[in-house]
Amino acid sequence: MYTLPKIERFNQNVLSKYNIYNSVFITLPFDSIDNTGVMLPLFTDVCETGFKKQETPKEIMEFFSKKYLHSTNEKEQIDLMFRFIQYIERQIVLFDAIEDAAFPVVNNMEGRGSLRDIKEKADARGAKEELVAFLKDFNVRTVLTAHPTQFYPGAVLGIINDLTKAIRENDLLRIKQLLAQLGKTPFIKNEKPNPFDEAVSLIWYLENVFYPTSSDMIHYLQKNVFQGETVDNSIIKLGFWPGGDRDGNPFVTTEITLKVADRLRTSILKCYYMEVRRLKRKLTFFNVDVLIAELEDKLYRSVFYSQGDIFITLDELKSQLNKIKNIVVEQHESLYLDELESLIINVNLFGFYFATLDIRQNSRIHDAVFRDVFDYYQKNDPSVFPKNYYELTEAEKFDVLSNAKGNLNGADFEDVMTRSTIESIQAIKTIQAKNGEQGANRYIISNNESALNVMETLAMIRLTDWEQPTVDVIPLFESVDDLLDSHNIMEKLYTNPMYAAHLKNRGNIQTIMLGFSDGTKDGGYLMANWSIYQAKEALTAISRKYDVEVIFFDGRGGPPARGGGKTHKFYASLGPNIENKEIQITVQGQTISSNFGTLDSCRHNLENLLSAGVTNQVFNKTNNILSPEDKEVMGQLSELGYEKYLSFKNHPKFIPYLEKMSTLKYYAKTNIGSRPSKRSKSASLDFKDLRAIPFVGSWSQLKQNVPGFYGVGAALRRFEETGEWDKVQALYDNSMFFRTLLENSMMSLAKSFFPLTAYMKNDPEFGEFWQNIYDEFLDTKRLLLKIAGHKELMENYPDGKASIEIRERIVLPLLTIQQYALLRINELNKADKPDEALIKVYEKIVMRSLFGNTNASRNSA
């Protein structure tokens, strides 16, 4: 049977349906929308034509007002802008739902990267035994974080879910109802969510998407690869940050941490209860019905009648289910065995914890906390630390820390940060007692700069009367310098007797986290990615030297500038010199909803990650090795890109440009996440304290996407100018790692739109700075097209390109409105007596348009 090309499937199932349902939306009678549905297409055309004529957002807005409003009344203009924003926000939701509905049709669920594809390739290549051995030892861990990169409230996410189902079923009446509901549902939260609210929102995905998808995948492997044998290895693991990630978030308290852990346990028990209820209707056989009813009763009481008490242990639950399974197999012809095995798989996967709650804190906070702990012991027990501790060498400090014992209690400290840090360690113990060790057994140190950061953290954990802690200390290396030094830091730890003993107690496994987002912010696109690659190679070598199994945990965001893009291709391209027994990634914001938001997209993307590991270690294990010449070229490119990016970052107009010309300061005013937009409370903007999300997001709102390409063009141009282009061309042709890196940069370019801000080139303060960015954009675009042999960006991903183009057209009026509002704010601020009330109205317009622009960018993931 002939299958249509992917772009044609996209056009038929996404583009055509969007045009149809959008025309239905336009005709719905909304008081608040009025004639917006008629006016908006006209405004979109005026924007497109205006930018082609190199008009400014102000000129476009004024022309539209005169021609179609027949008025230059500012109040009327503002009212219309707000109505446009409301309408466009809902168009984006409609497009999201249509893309989600079409996902299994546009993407071949049984094609390349699927479990079926893995199995068939292994059969064809005679690698079945190798595949089985690999799957017994390999895991994919997706860690859900509450980083604010999507702004839909829960009610709107619910509508997207229902709308997706209605569109898939072509239920026009239901679609009209949901579009009407969408038109009347507020998109803006009046209050910031607290970390528990964020946790509850993400647990929805655990219950409704990851839970059924995980068991389906393991069940498939059990039946088709393991020939019915039970898979002991979990293969899929889930992690969770809301409620445990304290880095820069003062609203994460010990109470919230424990509350989130309790909610995770209740949620997984609820999932088991619902599955047991469904099974009870089927397993009505003699000797089985009583056992299943007993399980239902105990789970029901644990979920609905419990104040934290559990009326069944995990061992009891497993034992009872296996007993039922044996009776079904031996006495009842294995009737409904598949459904029963699905539940058993989930119980084995998720225990009573569902997802591991990670605790994270910044090394700078730890420094202050540790000094407080030191002062406490100087007063209460001077034998723990010598008085001259802070004058000792690093090695001498290690000796002291190795022997430190105590019974620290958070209640002993007045300082809030010290108290909460020690309480977070005590919370890990409490969670493990209730949810099992997997409930919380990882402590991540962000901005880790030294081995001492790790040793002092481990000492603090041991000082809470925890001689042999069942917790992994995970350093997070983020800056270019720290990535470069990371293997030396780990060698100091591996060779320390106390740390080595701790690792032995943890199975000689060391997890190391690497930060793409802050790496790019610090060193630019090429240097960040190459530094992480080199760090992984060096860390693999040093870990193998000391018989430690290293696991890399990648802090990735949605857009390419934050480690997103075609993520699975990175893992498939790593080669044998980088340990890859587990793929661990953070998943956040619109990446959760776009990549893991439905059963189809979740399965497709989890299978692709699993397939990437198989490709790298089973099918292509001798491929993807960068030669010394390749590494030299990569090193030169990253150094050239780094020089260009550093000169840009150190430009005197860099920070002022972000503060005055972008939406950066508005991120702090949005009610989208519990976490502040920068780490410090200082009024002035310190680049080091700036979080990667508002940094990357501000460039995205400007449609300049600087972090995803700046320095790439300068690096490639040097090779072109020196007549060595063949070197980079060969690297692109032969290295999947480098090719994926540049393809993701092309995505950043494809989502840029410089006509929007072209008016800035005439700005007396920032004109030269804007031109600098635009020149690098043009250079990068020209050279990336040259190296790929393409005429257009992303031409090898026509469906992705088409999706971006539609989304960009939907938000073009929104972007124009935002820039117009920013221009008006600057004008009003320059007046002798600024109209504060009017400035606040325009600031509200900027923030509202910020939401829609970000939500529309979900396909950056």
Side-chain angles (χ1 to χ4, degrees):
M1 183 178 147
Y2 174 69
T3 305
L4 289 171
K6 202 170 182 183
I7 183 62
E8 288 187 36
R9 299 201 301 272
F10 177 88
N11 288 337
Q12 279 185 13
N13 294 280
V14 179
L15 180 57
S16 298
K17 281 192 176 182
Y18 173 72
N19 290 332
I20 292 165
Y21 294 134
N22 190 40
S23 63
V24 171
F25 192 36
I26 284 169
T27 62
L28 291 173
F30 296 126
D31 296 336
S32 60
I33 288 180
D34 199 23
N35 63 344
T36 313
V38 178
M39 299 285 272
L40 184 57
L42 298 172
F43 184 54
T44 303
D45 288 340
V46 168
C47 290
E48 286 181 336
T49 309
F51 286 124
K52 278 176 188 165
K53 291 182 187 172
Q54 299 184 326
E55 291 175 355
T56 69
K58 190 178 179 191
E59 288 167 340
I60 289 168
M61 198 73 215
E62 286 172 352
F63 172 81
F64 179 79
S65 298
K66 281 177 188 170
K67 184 167 183 182
Y68 295 106
L69 285 181
H70 310 298
S71 163
T72 54
N73 180 290
E74 191 158 19
K75 187 181 181 308
E76 282 184 40
Q77 288 179 347
I78 287 168
D79 286 346
L80 186 63
M81 281 189 273
F82 274 118
R83 293 211 306 272
F84 279 165
I85 290 168
Q86 284 179 298
Y87 195 89
I88 295 164
E89 283 175 328
R90 286 153 178 81
Q91 282 185 310
I92 293 161
V93 167
L94 175 60
F95 191 74
D96 282 351
I98 290 167
E99 271 206 320
D100 285 346
F103 191 93
V105 181
V106 175
N107 299 278
N108 184 355
M109 299 294 288
E110 303 290 325
R112 185 181 295 175
S114 67
L115 293 183
R116 182 175 174 177
D117 179 51
I118 294 169
K119 179 197 173 294
E120 288 175 356
K121 274 184 185 162
D123 288 344
R125 299 179 189 194
K128 187 79 175 281
E129 284 182 23
E130 215 175 333
L131 176 62
V132 168
F134 169 81
L135 290 171
K136 283 181 177 177
D137 200 29
F138 182 81
N139 295 288
V140 170
R141 185 192 291 248
T142 49
V143 181
L144 306 191
T145 81
H147 294 358
T149 58
Q150 184 184 65
F151 310 141
Y152 291 136
V156 174
L157 286 170
I159 294 170
I160 294 177
N161 191 54
D162 294 343
L163 194 53
T164 300
K165 189 168 181 279
I167 289 166
R168 194 169 284 172
E169 293 167 1
N170 284 316
D171 185 344
L172 189 58
L173 184 63
R174 182 84 181 111
I175 290 165
K176 284 183 82 169
Q177 278 183 326
L178 287 162
L179 289 175
Q181 181 188 348
L182 190 64
K184 293 176 179 290
T185 302
F187 271 50
I188 303 303
K189 299 171 182 173
N190 293 323
E191 293 178 2
K192 277 181 180 286
N194 66 43
F196 184 71
D197 297 330
E198 292 170 331
V200 170
S201 295
L202 291 190
I203 287 170
W204 185 91
Y205 290 101
L206 295 182
E207 291 177 351
N208 294 285
V209 185
F210 284 94
Y211 180 84
T213 302
S214 301
S215 61
D216 282 354
M217 285 174 62
I218 304 300
H219 207 191
Y220 178 91
L221 291 171
Q222 225 166 251
K223 289 177 81 171
N224 297 285
V225 177
F226 287 80
Q227 307 304 325
E229 180 193 335
T230 301
V231 186
D232 289 331
N233 179 33
S234 56
I235 300 178
I236 294 166
K237 297 178 179 179
L238 301 177
F240 207 74
W241 275 18
D245 181 10
R246 293 165 177 268
D247 180 14
N249 193 339
F251 306 110
V252 177
T253 62
T254 308
E255 183 190 1
I256 288 216
T257 301
L258 294 171
K259 200 174 164 188
V260 169
D262 284 349
R263 182 60 174 255
L264 284 165
R265 185 181 67 250
T266 304
S267 294
I268 192 62
L269 289 171
K270 186 171 76 177
C271 288
Y272 297 156
Y273 167 72
M274 298 304 289
E275 224 172 327
V276 164
R277 262 189 77 178
R278 286 191 292 272
L279 274 169
K280 190 184 171 193
R281 295 187 62 165
K282 296 178 178 179
L283 301 180
T284 51
F285 327 133
F286 179 66
N287 281 343
V288 172
D289 53 350
V290 180
L291 294 174
I292 202 87
E294 189 183 330
L295 274 187
E296 183 197 30
D297 176 59
K298 287 182 177 179
L299 286 167
Y300 181 80
R301 287 163 65 207
S302 299
V303 173
F304 298 106
Y305 272 95
S306 170
Q307 295 296 316
D309 297 320
I310 302 298
F311 296 93
I312 186 169
T313 66
L314 180 60
D315 286 342
E316 248 185 284
L317 178 59
K318 287 182 177 180
S319 170
Q320 189 97 318
L321 286 171
N322 283 318
K323 195 173 176 183
I324 292 167
K325 179 182 171 182
N326 290 335
I327 297 171
V328 167
V329 171
E330 290 164 14
Q331 298 176 25
H332 303 292
E333 289 75 48
S334 298
L335 201 55
Y336 299 122
L337 182 62
D338 279 357
E339 289 93 327
L340 179 59
E341 284 198 326
S342 174
L343 175 56
I344 291 169
I345 286 166
N346 275 329
V347 172
N348 288 331
L349 279 180
F350 305 126
F352 279 7
Y353 67 95
F354 213 159
T356 301
L357 184 63
D358 289 344
I359 306 296
R360 182 171 79 129
Q361 186 52 282
N362 196 290
S363 67
R364 294 174 195 170
I365 298 293
H366 279 178
D367 289 343
V369 168
F370 193 81
R371 188 169 278 278
D372 209 5
V373 169
F374 169 79
D375 290 342
Y376 169 82
Y377 277 114
Q378 288 303 296
K379 287 177 194 167
N380 296 286
D381 186 358
S383 66
V384 176
F385 295 109
K387 200 172 184 179
N388 66 338
Y389 175 79
Y390 281 99
E391 284 105 60
L392 299 177
T393 64
E394 188 178 63
E396 289 168 337
K397 284 178 180 172
F398 279 15
D399 287 340
V400 172
L401 296 167
S402 296
N403 298 303
K405 290 180 182 176
N407 195 1
L408 273 182
N409 194 313
D412 295 335
F413 293 88
E414 286 180 24
D415 183 82
V416 174
M417 194 55 76
T418 304
R419 189 164 64 243
S420 66
T421 302
I422 292 163
E423 281 177 355
S424 71
I425 296 166
Q426 294 170 317
I428 295 174
K429 283 189 193 178
T430 306
I431 295 166
Q432 289 192 3
K434 287 184 170 185
N435 295 15
E437 190 195 307
Q438 295 291 317
N441 63 356
R442 291 152 47 107
Y443 196 112
I444 299 160
I445 310 165
S446 50
N447 192 40
N448 195 96
E449 295 175 325
S450 67
L452 192 62
N453 288 155
V454 177
M455 287 294 285
E456 288 185 342
T457 303
L458 181 55
M460 277 199 293
I461 293 170
R462 283 159 50 95
L463 280 166
T464 60
D465 196 23
W466 206 355
E467 187 78 17
Q468 282 199 327
T470 47
V471 58
D472 300 316
V473 181
I474 302 174
L476 165 51
F477 300 109
E478 299 177 84
S479 72
V480 171
D481 288 343
D482 292 340
L483 287 163
L484 195 64
D485 195 37
S486 58
H487 64 291
N488 295 321
I489 289 171
M490 294 315 298
E491 185 166 30
K492 287 178 186 176
L493 294 169
Y494 293 157
T495 53
N496 176 267
M498 186 271 275
Y499 194 82
H502 169 69
L503 272 188
K504 191 174 181 186
N505 186 40
R506 303 298 296 153
N508 263 3
I509 297 169
Q510 173 68 58
T511 303
I512 297 172
M513 193 172 177
L514 304 158
F516 280 81
S517 299
D518 283 289
T520 304
K521 181 171 82 83
D522 181 53
Y525 183 70
L526 285 175
M527 179 57 90
N529 281 278
W530 182 234
S531 295
I532 288 170
Y533 186 96
Q534 286 181 299
K536 283 186 175 182
E537 279 203 330
L539 287 164
T540 298
I542 206 73
S543 300
R544 287 174 179 172
K545 179 181 173 182
Y546 293 101
D547 292 324
V548 173
E549 184 182 308
V550 68
I551 292 171
F552 296 116
F553 176 18
D554 291 330
R556 293 181 179 273
R562 295 184 44 240
K566 305 288 179 185
T567 308
H568 61 280
K569 281 194 165 187
F570 271 113
Y571 292 109
S573 72
L574 292 178
N577 296 329
I578 291 176
E579 204 70 78
N580 196 22
K581 284 192 177 173
E582 190 161 320
I583 291 175
Q584 292 192 15
I585 54 169
T586 54
V587 190
Q588 50 197 251
Q590 77 265 46
T591 320
I592 297 172
S593 59
S594 62
N595 282 15
F596 301 94
T598 66
L599 293 171
D600 292 316
S601 63
C602 184
R603 177 152 188 171
H604 179 78
N605 284 294
L606 281 177
E607 289 190 7
N608 266 275
L609 286 171
L610 190 59
S611 168
V614 175
T615 301
N616 185 46
Q617 290 189 55
V618 178
F619 301 146
N620 294 345
K621 60 184 174 186
T622 56
N623 300 357
N624 298 322
I625 299 174
L626 292 176
S627 68
E629 294 77 23
D630 290 337
K631 287 185 176 181
E632 192 180 335
V633 173
M634 253 323 307
Q636 287 173 359
L637 284 166
S638 62
E639 280 296 335
L640 290 165
Y642 188 45
E643 282 171 27
K644 179 75 173 175
Y645 181 75
L646 275 189
S647 68
F648 175 65
K649 195 172 79 169
N650 295 329
H651 193 289
K653 295 298 174 193
F654 183 82
I655 296 291
Y657 183 79
L658 279 174
E659 285 189 304
K660 292 181 186 177
M661 307 302 277
S662 83
T663 57
L664 181 64
K665 65 184 176 188
Y666 297 97
Y667 271 86
K669 299 178 182 181
T670 56
N671 292 325
I672 49 157
S674 66
R675 197 168 70 157
S677 61
K678 58 193 182 86
R679 286 185 168 95
S680 76
K681 292 179 182 176
S682 64
S684 62
L685 179 61
D686 181 347
F687 186 75
K688 281 186 177 177
D689 288 328
L690 181 60
R691 291 198 173 279
I693 290 169
F695 175 70
V696 172
S698 298
W699 291 112
S700 173
Q701 296 283 322
L702 285 166
K703 284 293 153 190
Q704 292 175 0
N705 289 328
V706 160
F709 73 82
Y710 198 91
V712 176
L716 291 172
R717 187 173 69 249
R718 181 72 65 88
F719 277 79
E720 185 184 54
E721 288 171 349
T722 55
E724 295 181 295
W725 183 258
D726 58 320
K727 289 183 178 178
V728 289
Q729 188 66 60
L731 183 63
Y732 179 86
D733 293 340
N734 301 322
S735 166
M736 188 178 174
F737 167 76
F738 184 56
R739 193 160 59 251
T740 304
L741 201 60
L742 295 195
E743 283 181 351
N744 282 342
S745 189
M746 285 188 214
M747 189 190 288
S748 291
L749 294 175
K751 299 191 76 176
S752 299
F753 184 65
F754 277 84
L756 178 73
T757 55
Y759 70 89
M760 292 182 189
K761 68 184 170 191
N762 300 318
D763 187 275
E765 187 179 357
F766 297 110
E768 185 189 329
F769 189 76
W770 183 91
Q771 193 64 49
N772 174 341
I773 298 169
Y774 186 50
D775 289 346
E776 180 64 9
F777 166 82
L778 291 175
D779 236 10
T780 305
K781 182 179 176 182
R782 176 181 69 82
L783 291 162
L784 287 182
L785 290 175
K786 177 180 177 178
I787 204 167
H790 293 169
K791 289 187 172 64
E792 292 181 321
L793 294 167
M794 292 184 69
E795 68 178 51
N796 53 331
Y797 296 107
D799 58 309
K801 180 171 177 283
S803 176
I804 287 172
E805 283 170 356
I806 297 164
R807 287 176 182 276
E808 293 302 306
R809 189 168 197 273
I810 292 171
V811 297
L812 184 63
L814 208 55
L815 294 163
T816 310
I817 288 167
Q818 185 181 78
Q819 283 299 315
Y820 175 72
L822 287 166
L823 282 162
R824 284 293 289 130
I825 291 165
N826 285 338
E827 280 178 1
L828 290 164
N829 278 324
K830 285 174 188 170
D832 293 335
K833 282 189 177 179
D835 184 338
E836 296 298 336
L838 193 54
I839 288 170
K840 278 187 177 166
V841 170
Y842 278 111
E843 285 185 334
K844 193 175 177 186
I845 287 174
V846 171
M847 281 190 285
R848 288 293 303 275
S849 54
L850 187 151
F851 293 178
N853 291 335
T854 303
N855 289 335
S857 299
R858 72 186 293 201
N859 58 6
S860 63

